[in-house]
Amino acid sequence: MTSCNPSVTPIDTKQKLSTSAGTPCDDPTLYRSLVGALQHLTFIRPDISYVVQQVCLHMHAPCTEHMLALKRILRYVHGTLQFGLHLYSSPTEKLISYTDVDWGGCPDTRRSTSSYCLLLGDNLISWSSKRQPTLSQSSAEAEYRGVANVVS
């Protein structure tokens, strides 16, 4: 995929990946190998953490739709090779956090996805994006769980 057309976004925002995505992948070993390589890349590329987590959910039984999503991530990485995590000296010493929740976003379990990032001054020092362990009954409950996650 070194000569592929780059993608502007790492994943299609209109649809969610589901476990019932169609025909099984031709080579599940290749899928797992590529996903593992992308997992290592998330240490310096937090912008792909969420989408890599989404394709990791389907490593046990990847389908063609999952492989297409994986290839889209690779096309995005190819087009954004200059991106990465950079640390600079910063005049401010404030600890700032941002959080967001996708209420009921998983099409299979209906659980919410919480994500956050922590900045010390202008430098990103910690981030996370993961599915909440319990089912939230409202968007407010999901948001409170997300805030509790970033505070802890």
Side-chain angles (χ1 to χ4, degrees):
M1 295 192 61
T2 57
S3 62
C4 66
N5 291 330
S7 176
V8 180
T9 58
I11 199 164
D12 183 10
T13 57
K14 302 290 183 218
Q15 65 181 23
K16 302 274 185 177
L17 291 176
S18 176
T19 54
S20 58
T23 60
C25 184
D26 292 336
D27 189 2
T29 306
L30 175 64
Y31 181 87
R32 292 179 187 115
S33 175
L34 290 172
V35 170
L38 285 174
Q39 281 182 312
H40 288 289
L41 188 60
T42 60
F43 289 119
I44 60 167
R45 294 286 305 266
D47 58 323
I48 63 170
S49 294
Y50 174 76
V51 294
V52 170
Q53 179 262 341
Q54 289 297 305
V55 293
C56 283
L57 293 174
H58 307 286
M59 285 179 57
H60 61 286
C63 295
T64 53
E65 181 181 320
H66 305 136
M67 189 62 157
L68 290 175
L70 179 63
K71 285 182 179 180
R72 183 173 178 141
I73 297 169
L74 293 174
R75 289 182 19 237
Y76 173 77
V77 169
H78 177 71
T80 57
L81 292 175
Q82 73 279 10
F83 287 12
L85 183 60
H86 304 282
L87 298 175
Y88 304 102
S89 61
S90 177
T92 61
E93 296 179 2
K94 285 185 180 179
L95 186 64
I96 302 168
S97 66
Y98 297 98
T99 184
D100 191 24
V101 175
D102 178 16
W103 177 51
C106 180
D108 297 321
T109 62
R110 303 306 301 160
R111 289 192 291 173
S112 305
T113 303
S114 295
S115 57
Y116 70 83
C117 65
L118 283 170
L119 295 103
L120 182 59
D122 297 328
N123 298 306
L124 181 65
I125 58 171
S126 180
W127 65 91
S128 174
S129 177
K130 62 182 180 179
R131 210 179 306 158
Q132 291 182 353
T134 58
L135 186 66
S136 298
Q137 295 182 359
S138 68
S139 61
E141 181 182 348
E143 292 285 347
Y144 282 124
R145 289 180 195 272
V147 169
N149 189 25
V150 72
V151 169
S152 67

Coordinates of all heavy atoms in Angstrom, one line a residue, residues 70-105:
L70 N -9.5 -1.4 8.0 CA -8.1 -1.4 8.3 C -7.3 -0.8 7.2 O -6.4 0.0 7.5 CB -7.7 -2.9 8.5 CG -6.2 -3.1 8.9 CD1 -5.8 -2.5 10.2 CD2 -5.9 -4.6 8.9
K71 N -7.6 -1.1 6.0 CA -6.9 -0.5 4.8 C -7.1 1.0 4.8 O -6.2 1.8 4.4 CB -7.4 -1.1 3.5 CG -6.8 -2.5 3.3 CD -7.2 -3.1 2.0 CE -6.6 -4.4 1.8 NZ -7.0 -5.0 0.5
R72 N -8.3 1.5 5.2 CA -8.5 2.9 5.2 C -7.6 3.6 6.3 O -7.1 4.7 6.1 CB -10.0 3.2 5.5 CG -10.3 4.7 5.5 CD -11.8 5.0 5.6 NE -12.0 6.4 5.7 CZ -13.0 7.0 5.1 NH1 -13.9 6.3 4.4 NH2 -13.2 8.3 5.1
I73 N -7.4 3.0 7.4 CA -6.5 3.5 8.4 C -5.1 3.6 7.9 O -4.4 4.6 8.1 CB -6.5 2.6 9.7 CG1 -7.9 2.6 10.4 CG2 -5.5 3.1 10.7 CD1 -8.1 1.6 11.5
L74 N -4.7 2.5 7.2 CA -3.3 2.5 6.6 C -3.2 3.7 5.5 O -2.2 4.3 5.4 CB -3.0 1.2 5.9 CG -2.9 0.0 6.9 CD1 -2.8 -1.3 6.1 CD2 -1.7 0.2 7.8
R75 N -4.3 3.9 4.7 CA -4.2 5.0 3.8 C -4.2 6.4 4.5 O -3.5 7.3 4.0 CB -5.5 4.9 2.9 CG -5.4 3.8 1.9 CD -6.6 3.7 0.9 NE -7.3 4.9 0.7 CZ -8.7 5.0 0.9 NH1 -9.3 4.0 1.3 NH2 -9.3 6.1 0.7
Y76 N -4.8 6.5 5.6 CA -4.8 7.7 6.4 C -3.4 7.9 7.0 O -2.8 9.0 6.9 CB -5.8 7.6 7.6 CG -5.7 8.8 8.5 CD1 -6.2 10.0 8.2 CD2 -5.1 8.6 9.8 CE1 -6.1 11.1 9.1 CE2 -5.0 9.7 10.7 CZ -5.5 10.9 10.4 OH -5.4 11.9 11.2
V77 N -2.8 6.9 7.5 CA -1.4 7.0 8.0 C -0.4 7.3 6.9 O 0.5 8.2 7.1 CB -1.0 5.6 8.7 CG1 0.5 5.6 9.1 CG2 -1.8 5.4 10.0
H78 N -0.6 6.7 5.8 CA 0.3 7.0 4.6 C 0.2 8.5 4.2 O 1.2 9.1 3.9 CB -0.1 6.2 3.4 CG 0.7 6.5 2.2 ND1 2.0 6.1 2.1 CD2 0.3 7.1 1.0 CE1 2.4 6.5 0.9 NE2 1.4 7.1 0.2
G79 N -1.0 9.1 4.3 CA -1.2 10.5 4.0 C -0.8 11.5 5.1 O -0.7 12.7 4.8
T80 N -0.5 11.0 6.3 CA -0.2 11.9 7.4 C 1.1 11.4 8.1 O 1.1 11.4 9.4 CB -1.4 11.9 8.4 OG1 -1.6 10.5 8.9 CG2 -2.6 12.5 7.8
L81 N 2.1 11.1 7.4 CA 3.3 10.6 7.9 C 4.0 11.7 8.8 O 4.8 11.3 9.7 CB 4.3 10.1 6.8 CG 3.8 8.8 6.1 CD1 4.8 8.5 5.0 CD2 3.8 7.7 7.1
Q82 N 3.7 12.9 8.5 CA 4.4 14.0 9.3 C 3.7 14.2 10.7 O 4.2 14.9 11.5 CB 4.3 15.3 8.5 CG 3.0 16.0 8.4 CD 2.1 15.4 7.3 OE1 2.3 14.4 6.7 NE2 0.9 16.1 7.1
F83 N 2.6 13.6 10.9 CA 1.9 13.7 12.2 C 2.6 12.9 13.2 O 3.3 11.9 12.9 CB 0.5 13.2 12.1 CG -0.5 14.1 11.4 CD1 0.0 15.2 10.6 CD2 -1.8 13.9 11.5 CE1 -0.9 16.0 10.0 CE2 -2.7 14.7 10.8 CZ -2.3 15.8 10.0
G84 N 2.5 13.2 14.5 CA 3.0 12.4 15.6 C 3.0 13.2 16.9 O 2.5 14.3 16.9
L85 N 3.4 12.6 17.9 CA 3.4 13.2 19.2 C 4.7 14.0 19.5 O 5.8 13.4 19.4 CB 3.2 12.1 20.3 CG 3.1 12.6 21.7 CD1 1.9 13.5 21.9 CD2 2.9 11.4 22.6
H86 N 4.6 15.2 19.7 CA 5.8 16.1 19.9 C 5.7 16.7 21.3 O 4.6 17.2 21.7 CB 5.9 17.2 18.8 CG 5.9 16.6 17.4 ND1 7.0 16.1 16.9 CD2 4.9 16.5 16.5 CE1 6.7 15.7 15.7 NE2 5.4 15.9 15.4
L87 N 6.8 16.8 22.0 CA 6.8 17.5 23.3 C 7.7 18.7 23.2 O 8.8 18.7 22.7 CB 7.4 16.5 24.3 CG 6.6 15.3 24.6 CD1 7.3 14.4 25.6 CD2 5.2 15.6 25.1
Y88 N 7.2 19.8 23.7 CA 7.9 21.1 23.6 C 7.9 21.7 25.0 O 7.0 21.4 25.9 CB 7.1 22.1 22.7 CG 6.9 21.6 21.3 CD1 5.7 21.1 20.9 CD2 8.0 21.6 20.4 CE1 5.5 20.6 19.6 CE2 7.8 21.1 19.1 CZ 6.5 20.6 18.7 OH 6.3 20.1 17.4
S89 N 8.8 22.6 25.3 CA 8.8 23.3 26.5 C 7.6 24.3 26.5 O 7.4 24.9 25.4 CB 10.1 24.1 26.8 OG 10.3 25.0 25.7
S90 N 6.9 24.4 27.6 CA 5.7 25.2 27.6 C 5.8 26.2 28.7 O 6.2 25.8 29.8 CB 4.5 24.3 27.8 OG 3.3 25.0 27.8
P91 N 5.4 27.4 28.5 CA 5.4 28.4 29.6 C 4.3 28.2 30.6 O 4.5 28.6 31.8 CB 5.2 29.8 28.8 CG 4.5 29.4 27.6 CD 4.9 28.0 27.2
T92 N 3.3 27.5 30.3 CA 2.2 27.3 31.2 C 2.4 25.9 31.9 O 2.9 25.0 31.2 CB 0.8 27.3 30.6 OG1 0.7 26.3 29.5 CG2 0.5 28.7 29.9
E93 N 2.0 25.8 33.1 CA 2.1 24.5 33.8 C 0.7 24.0 34.3 O 0.6 23.3 35.2 CB 3.0 24.7 35.0 CG 4.4 25.1 34.6 CD 5.3 25.3 35.8 OE1 4.8 25.1 37.0 OE2 6.5 25.6 35.6
K94 N -0.3 24.4 33.5 CA -1.7 24.0 33.9 C -1.9 22.6 33.4 O -1.4 22.2 32.3 CB -2.7 24.9 33.2 CG -2.9 26.2 33.8 CD -4.0 26.9 33.0 CE -4.3 28.3 33.6 NZ -5.4 29.0 32.8
L95 N -2.7 21.8 34.2 CA -3.1 20.5 33.8 C -4.5 20.7 33.2 O -5.4 21.1 34.0 CB -3.1 19.6 35.0 CG -3.4 18.1 34.7 CD1 -2.3 17.5 33.8 CD2 -3.5 17.3 36.0
I96 N -4.7 20.4 32.0 CA -6.0 20.5 31.3 C -6.5 19.2 30.8 O -5.7 18.4 30.3 CB -5.9 21.5 30.1 CG1 -5.3 22.8 30.6 CG2 -7.2 21.7 29.4 CD1 -4.9 23.7 29.5
S97 N -7.8 18.9 31.0 CA -8.3 17.6 30.5 C -9.6 17.9 29.6 O -10.3 18.9 29.9 CB -8.7 16.7 31.7 OG -9.8 17.3 32.4
Y98 N -9.7 17.1 28.6 CA -10.9 17.1 27.8 C -11.5 15.7 27.7 O -10.7 14.7 27.7 CB -10.5 17.5 26.3 CG -10.0 18.9 26.2 CD1 -8.6 19.1 26.2 CD2 -10.8 20.0 26.2 CE1 -8.1 20.4 26.1 CE2 -10.4 21.3 26.1 CZ -9.0 21.5 26.1 OH -8.5 22.8 26.0
T99 N -12.8 15.6 27.7 CA -13.4 14.3 27.7 C -14.6 14.3 26.7 O -15.2 15.4 26.5 CB -13.8 13.8 29.1 OG1 -14.4 12.5 29.0 CG2 -14.9 14.7 29.7
D100 N -14.9 13.2 26.2 CA -16.1 13.1 25.3 C -16.6 11.6 25.4 O -15.9 10.7 25.7 CB -15.8 13.4 23.9 CG -17.0 13.6 23.0 OD1 -18.1 13.9 23.6 OD2 -16.9 13.4 21.8
V101 N -17.9 11.5 25.2 CA -18.6 10.2 25.3 C -19.5 10.0 24.1 O -20.2 10.9 23.7 CB -19.4 10.0 26.6 CG1 -20.1 8.7 26.7 CG2 -18.5 10.2 27.8
D102 N -19.4 8.8 23.5 CA -20.4 8.4 22.5 C -21.4 7.5 23.1 O -21.2 6.3 23.3 CB -19.6 7.7 21.4 CG -20.4 7.2 20.2 OD1 -21.6 7.7 20.1 OD2 -20.0 6.3 19.5
W103 N -22.6 8.1 23.5 CA -23.6 7.4 24.2 C -24.2 6.2 23.4 O -24.7 6.5 22.3 CB -24.7 8.3 24.7 CG -25.8 7.6 25.4 CD1 -25.7 6.7 26.5 CD2 -27.2 7.7 25.2 NE1 -26.9 6.3 26.9 CE2 -27.8 6.9 26.1 CE3 -27.9 8.4 24.3 CZ2 -29.2 6.7 26.1 CZ3 -29.3 8.3 24.3 CH2 -29.9 7.5 25.2
G104 N -24.1 5.0 23.9 CA -24.7 3.9 23.2 C -24.1 3.6 21.8 O -24.8 3.2 20.9
G105 N -22.8 4.0 21.6 CA -22.2 4.0 20.2 C -21.9 2.6 19.7 O -21.8 2.4 18.5

